[in-house]
Amino acid sequence: MTIEQDYYENGEFWIHGALLPEDLARMEFIVRAIPTDARSLLDVGCGNGAFLEHLRVSRPDIEILHGAERSGAALQHVAVPHTQASIDSLPFPDQSFDCVTCLEVIEHLPTPIYTRALLELMRVSRRYLIVTVPREQDLTLGQVQCTVCKTLFNPDYHLRSFDQRSMIELFGAGPFLPRGVSAFGDGTEYAFSRLITRLKRDRGNRFPQDIPCPACGTKLKGRPGAQMTPVTRSGGGVTSTIKALWPKRREQRWLLARYDRITA
């Protein structure tokens, strides 16, 4: 098992928790992007199956739902039919599914896998492709530094960043062409937050579970009680008052692109 594979086999990473309102809103946005005539759907990189379960309830007209995921630890939580497989070698015939979704996956892919993965997504989709990614992410922010080899790396293992133009050009000249690219998922960015993050000296692991350095494999100890996802809390106190008064702006956190197969 490679260092990168070991990262995703951590069982704690995939434990289901209560979905936050922003998670539900994100899923609903993606569901609305799925064409109404899709009757079969493959979710590649389905993780713990949370999206597929939401889709099963919200789109009962989709007769076949299937998940593909490399991590065996993740698949233990998936309730719909699923297959353990890597995105760059999907064990399905050509054009097997009306729609293929790939949600927050391709930003994780190492260079040798990335190009093959895009070809595989196109190969197994009969009509539609839907891809979501973080929007214009600055990969230099919030980096973790390995205590042994001193390598700096993104703690989410994100290896590439995408903007509207790169999503339009993602699959080149075909056989899939972009139908549209939309920004979605409201978030809050506080003034000077990126500068403050850059100035911080603490580059340690801020996740609750251990994470391996992608260069040497050293396990960086997690912090008990840390949040996997930042949670907005209400209530009094000095911190809440400062946050309420601090200049901020709304921003959209993700990009969704839909691509349609060219028909003769």
Side-chain angles (χ1 to χ4, degrees):
M1 182 180 295
T2 67
I3 296 170
E4 185 249 353
Q5 286 175 311
D6 182 52
Y7 174 88
Y8 294 108
E9 291 300 337
N10 187 330
E12 295 180 10
F13 189 86
W14 302 108
I15 294 174
H16 273 290
L19 292 176
L20 299 173
E22 52 264 39
D23 294 324
L24 291 172
R26 166 182 161 272
M27 289 184 183
E28 279 300 319
F29 187 90
I30 299 169
V31 169
R32 289 194 295 271
I34 299 172
T36 56
D37 58 349
R39 292 295 174 266
S40 59
L41 182 143
L42 173 69
D43 187 26
V44 178
C46 66
N48 60 18
F51 174 70
L52 284 169
E53 180 60 25
H54 182 79
L55 189 60
R56 183 184 66 81
V57 175
S58 60
R59 284 289 304 270
D61 58 304
I62 300 179
E63 299 163 1
I64 298 173
L65 291 176
H66 200 95
E69 170 61 50
R70 184 182 64 179
S71 169
L75 287 175
Q76 293 180 19
H77 302 276
V78 179
V80 305
H82 53 268
T83 299
Q84 186 168 9
S86 179
I87 188 174
D88 62 326
S89 183
L90 297 171
F92 306 107
D94 294 355
Q95 301 186 37
S96 297
F97 299 89
D98 288 339
C99 183
V100 173
T101 57
C102 188
L103 313 177
E104 285 90 72
V105 173
I106 63 173
E107 67 271 15
H108 295 270
L109 300 180
T111 299
I113 293 177
Y114 180 72
T115 300
R116 296 198 303 271
L118 297 184
L119 293 173
E120 282 291 270
L121 292 175
M122 289 190 288
R123 182 184 66 80
V124 299
S125 175
R126 185 179 302 119
R127 303 179 70 182
Y128 310 112
L129 277 169
I130 293 175
V131 180
T132 67
V133 293
R135 176 176 172 263
E136 299 177 16
Q137 184 179 21
D138 185 343
L139 298 177
T140 66
L141 289 178
Q143 288 179 316
V144 172
Q145 186 170 46
C146 177
T147 55
V148 175
C149 70
K150 306 305 179 185
T151 295
L152 290 172
F153 62 97
N154 181 281
D156 292 308
Y157 274 34
H158 290 183
L159 302 177
R160 61 192 80 243
S161 181
F162 297 88
D163 57 16
Q164 186 129 353
R165 179 173 179 177
S166 60
M167 292 301 287
I168 290 173
E169 299 172 349
L170 187 64
F171 292 103
F176 282 84
L177 292 181
R179 176 72 179 267
V181 180
S182 304
F184 71 106
D186 283 344
T188 300
E189 179 165 332
Y190 291 88
F192 311 116
S193 62
R194 298 194 179 197
L195 176 61
I196 293 170
T197 300
R198 289 188 190 282
L199 294 175
K200 281 184 178 178
R201 294 183 179 274
D202 179 11
R203 292 184 180 271
N205 178 13
R206 293 174 294 281
F207 282 1
Q209 76 273 358
D210 298 350
I211 56 175
C213 167
C216 72
T218 298
K219 289 287 183 70
L220 279 68
K221 288 294 183 181
R223 299 184 181 183
Q227 295 282 345
M228 282 295 297
T229 303
V231 177
T232 302
R233 302 184 186 276
S234 60
V238 175
T239 301
S240 296
T241 301
I242 292 173
K243 285 186 175 182
L245 298 176
W246 196 269
K248 50 188 171 293
R249 65 182 176 88
R250 303 295 292 176
E251 64 170 10
Q252 293 172 308
R253 299 171 59 190
W254 294 289
L255 290 172
L256 180 149
R258 172 182 149 185
Y259 309 86
D260 291 4
R261 180 180 285 275
I262 302 169
T263 55

